[in-house]
Amino acid sequence: MNAVTLVRAENVHKSFGLNEVLKGINLQVRRGEVVCLLGASGSGKSTFLRCINHLETLSNGRIWVGDQVIGYRQDGDRLYELSDKEAAGQRKSIGMVFQRFNLFPHMTVLENIIEGPVLVKKEKPAEAKRRASEMLARVGLEGREKSYPRQLSGGQQQRVAIARALAMEPELILFDEPTSALDPELVGEVLDVMKDLARSGLTMIVVTHEIGFAKEVADRVAFMHDGEIVEIGSPREVLETPRHERTKAFLSRVF
Ligand code: ADP
Ligand code: MG
């Protein structure tokens, strides 16, 4: 793969039993690019994100991140699934932020953030703690190391989840509706952090219904319908002059 492209999904198919939910997704994401993924509920957005870090196997097709085929080892024409340990190794460089934060409730903010660096990347605890504090400051939560998730608002918990992802120094972060579970007044603080990350040059794929965010921050917007990307282009193209009927219908519902 060339130096410019970080993610390349080629003909990605995914079925659950007889239900084919991804029907041949093709997508390339450049380093430093922010791609927002829009689409109605059930169109396959989460499944596609989960395929990118091999939380799901593929039924067909292939995904590269950097020069690695995700989840599989290629031997001639055949693909062999990696072991859990090998897949976890690949996931080190791919962060994921979920709708429901997924922080460990019995651990402090600091413990949540250093867990990955210490256990997976074998960082020294002192160094991991130092960097965790840096990441907390980066998401606007300086000094909250000793708090427990339940002592924080949803917006703050989501920012901790972002700090936790950043602590692994990923080259790519996948966001799956990171603000959908938040009270409306807390959405802005999380989007502000994400805008900041986008400006810093991080490569991001963001599933979101926040059209304003997509308009302002995305380099490209992709619209998914029924397991396919039916339209992709600049925010202006896709959001202001959509060509596909499904995109038009979706946007008219959202606005
Ligand atoms: P979106 O994120 O766009 O709302 P999803 O990727 O969550 O869509 O789901 C796409 C389709 O795949 C849905 O019909 C959903 O029911 C189905 N699906 C998702 N995960 C599973 C699973 N683990 N087992 C069976 N069906 C699933
Ligand atoms: Mg989803």
Side-chain angles (χ1 to χ4, degrees), residues 102-115:
N102 294 11
L103 298 174
F104 296 112
H106 60 287
M107 291 185 180
T108 64
V109 162
L110 184 75
E111 289 163 352
N112 266 283
I113 298 175
I114 67 171
E115 159 110 359

Side-chain angles (χ1 to χ4, degrees), residues 190-231:
V190 173
L191 294 181
D192 283 344
V193 166
M194 293 170 62
K195 283 178 200 170
D196 198 48
L197 298 183
R199 276 193 291 267
S200 79
L202 192 69
T203 312
M204 298 163 51
I205 304 179
V206 185
V207 172
T208 184
H209 296 295
E210 296 290 335
I211 304 295
F213 174 84
K215 208 171 242 177
E216 184 183 340
V217 180
D219 296 297
R220 283 184 302 152
V221 173
F223 182 76
M224 272 184 78
H225 172 68
D226 199 14
E228 293 179 289
I229 291 177
V230 295
E231 186 158 358

Side-chain angles (χ1 to χ4, degrees), residues 39-47 49-50 99 176-177 207 209:
S41 174
S43 57
K45 306 178 300 294
S46 295
T47 302
L49 281 194
R50 291 167 57 79
Q99 189 172 335
D176 195 356
E177 299 199 33
V207 172
H209 296 295

Side-chain angles (χ1 to χ4, degrees), residues 114 117-119 121-131:
I114 67 171
V118 171
L119 289 186
K121 290 185 87 176
K122 311 290 178 207
E123 242 176 60
K124 291 205 176 76
E127 169 65 8
K129 284 180 188 166
R130 190 189 61 73
R131 288 201 318 103

Side-chain angles (χ1 to χ4, degrees), residues 134-150:
E134 262 177 42
M135 295 306 134
L136 274 178
R138 195 165 166 194
V139 300
L141 290 172
E142 210 161 1
R144 298 310 295 264
E145 286 85 348
K146 295 202 170 95
S147 300
Y148 282 89
R150 65 173 179 278

